[in-house]
Amino acid sequence: SDKQIKVKFYWLFILASIIPISYIPTLNGYVDVACYFIALILICLLIDIDVTKFNFKKAVTIACLLVLIVLMRRYFAYFVVGYIVGYIGMYVTPLFYKENKNSKRIKMMLIGFSKNILCIIGIPLAILFIFFREFLLRSVFNNYSVAYSAYQNGNLFGNFQLLSIYLGLFITIMAIAGIIFCIISKKTRAFSIFLLLSILCSCILFFM
């Protein structure tokens, strides 16, 4: 199947929007919650996409949203890096399927993926370099581990423990169970790999 999950975009968005944990920043008065919904849209855009086929409209939409979320809150750059790493993992996963062992098929997948990733990475970098060059250079070369050292809470494992406490036992178990279930199912495996890699990558970078 070209589509990995046949679910309506708006149902996924509504479902994720009503998770209670998303309202904690709102109740605490943080404007950062606006970025949460952009991140949610970015994730939902990959639900029914075939990363091995070039989709100019979606690639440009994703690229523009990645720029927007970074400009709104700079630390969401960690999410962007994790998103791209997960996107690459989403492409690599189907390469191990038996039906994709054909060299011609692999070549077609590589061409489609390359066009998508060039748009998703190239457009944001071009926009930032042309219109927000100082912001881009400062974001890349500043030492944030020193600047935000007061917010550090122990080692990497301890930070993941704090994250699970913040989310709560029920949501943590459901999230882990959902990813495991999706990995088992071939139709949802690539998307679950994207979620797993993007979450781990962005969290590890943020905690460091």
Side-chain angles (χ1 to χ4, degrees), residues 171-205:
I171 291 178
T172 301
I173 292 174
M174 290 296 292
I176 294 172
I179 290 176
I180 292 173
F181 176 79
C182 288
I183 289 176
I184 293 172
S185 173
K186 187 177 179 180
K187 289 184 178 181
T188 56
R189 188 174 299 150
F191 182 72
S192 63
I193 293 296
F194 156 75
L195 286 177
L196 185 61
L197 288 177
S198 62
I199 291 170
L200 286 177
C201 182
S202 56
C203 283
I204 289 171
L205 289 173

Side-chain angles (χ1 to χ4, degrees), residues 26-187:
T26 307
L27 295 173
N28 286 332
Y30 294 113
V31 296
D32 310 49
V33 72
C35 296
Y36 166 79
F37 291 104
I38 297 175
L40 183 56
I41 292 171
L42 281 163
I43 292 171
C44 288
L45 282 171
L46 294 186
I47 286 289
D48 63 348
I49 196 173
D50 185 348
V51 295
T52 65
K53 292 182 179 180
F54 182 50
N55 189 323
F56 178 76
K57 185 178 178 180
K58 274 198 174 181
V60 171
T61 301
I62 290 171
C64 292
L65 289 174
L66 290 178
V67 173
L68 178 62
I69 199 172
V70 170
L71 292 177
M72 288 179 66
R73 297 299 291 175
R74 185 173 54 191
Y75 69 83
F76 267 85
Y78 298 116
F79 164 81
V80 171
V81 174
Y83 187 90
I84 293 171
V85 170
Y87 188 91
I88 295 171
M90 193 174 178
Y91 160 74
V92 172
T93 303
L95 293 180
F96 294 96
Y97 297 164
K98 289 182 180 180
E99 61 267 27
N100 295 329
K101 292 296 182 181
N102 184 282
S103 58
K104 186 177 179 180
R105 169 65 177 161
I106 292 175
K107 184 179 180 181
M108 289 175 62
M109 292 169 68
L110 180 59
I111 292 171
F113 168 77
S114 299
K115 291 179 179 179
N116 283 320
I117 202 69
L118 282 173
C119 279
I120 290 172
I121 296 177
I123 292 175
L125 287 178
I127 292 173
L128 291 174
F129 186 77
I130 295 171
F131 299 104
F132 307 96
R133 188 176 305 179
E134 186 179 344
F135 170 84
L136 175 63
L137 295 175
R138 188 171 63 249
S139 299
V140 172
F141 294 109
N142 272 15
N143 191 336
Y144 292 104
S145 62
V146 174
Y148 296 102
S149 58
Y151 295 96
Q152 290 179 352
N153 293 302
N155 57 29
L156 188 64
F157 179 73
N159 283 320
F160 273 108
Q161 283 184 312
L162 288 173
L163 177 62
S164 64
I165 293 171
Y166 180 78
L167 293 174
L169 183 62
F170 177 75
I171 291 178
T172 301
I173 292 174
M174 290 296 292
I176 294 172
I179 290 176
I180 292 173
F181 176 79
C182 288
I183 289 176
I184 293 172
S185 173
K186 187 177 179 180
K187 289 184 178 181

